[in-house]
Amino acid sequence: MPELTHLTSPSGLPQGNGYSHVVLGEGRFVALSGQISLDADGAVVGAGDPEAQARQVFANLDRCLSAAGAGWSDVVKLTLFTTDIAHLPAVRVARDAYIDTAAPPASSAVQVSGLIHPDLVLEVEAYALLPRT
């Protein structure tokens, strides 16, 4: 069985409630749980503002990547869950501040009927591969 490292509370993120924010697979694989627009205290950031929420979500993903010893160039897949596809332009502005837009990761966007909190409009999960050593 592969050895896994579970990071339940990377710096700057609230404690996961029954989940790990980051799971490092033996070797190179990194899985990031869906990140939502919560600050370190678990309060919603940007209620009613898709762009503010997207900025917080990508900042949270950045914290998770850092905790895993990874960076945005290691991200191979993003999955975006939004309550309204019309929010995608705002999401892309926030995302593009982090990714290499000339070589973006694979990506999916899914419209959902709701997220874990009624004020949330976006959740993003990611997968990364660490460089070979």
Side-chain angles (χ1 to χ4, degrees), residues 8-31:
T8 58
S9 186
S11 179
L13 295 174
Q15 177 72 35
N17 184 7
Y19 68 93
S20 299
H21 283 281
V22 180
V23 176
L24 296 153
E26 187 174 28
R28 303 174 52 212
F29 181 73
V30 180

Side-chain angles (χ1 to χ4, degrees), residues 44-129:
V44 173
V45 174
D49 183 344
E51 189 170 340
Q53 286 197 26
R55 285 192 305 268
Q56 183 68 38
V57 165
F58 281 90
N60 288 348
L61 287 165
D62 191 60
R63 289 179 182 95
C64 289
L65 287 166
S66 293
W72 283 96
S73 63
D74 301 315
V75 174
V76 296
K77 175 73 164 82
L78 292 171
T79 305
L80 297 85
F81 303 94
T82 181
T83 58
D84 188 339
I85 286 296
H87 297 319
L88 286 182
V91 173
R92 289 181 184 122
V93 168
R95 179 204 61 197
D96 290 355
Y98 289 92
I99 68 164
D100 177 354
T101 58
S107 185
S108 300
V110 181
Q111 183 168 313
V112 296
S113 62
L115 296 166
I116 191 75
H117 188 285
D119 289 336
L120 296 173
V121 300
L122 178 68
E123 181 170 337
V124 180
E125 66 181 22
Y127 296 100
L129 285 176

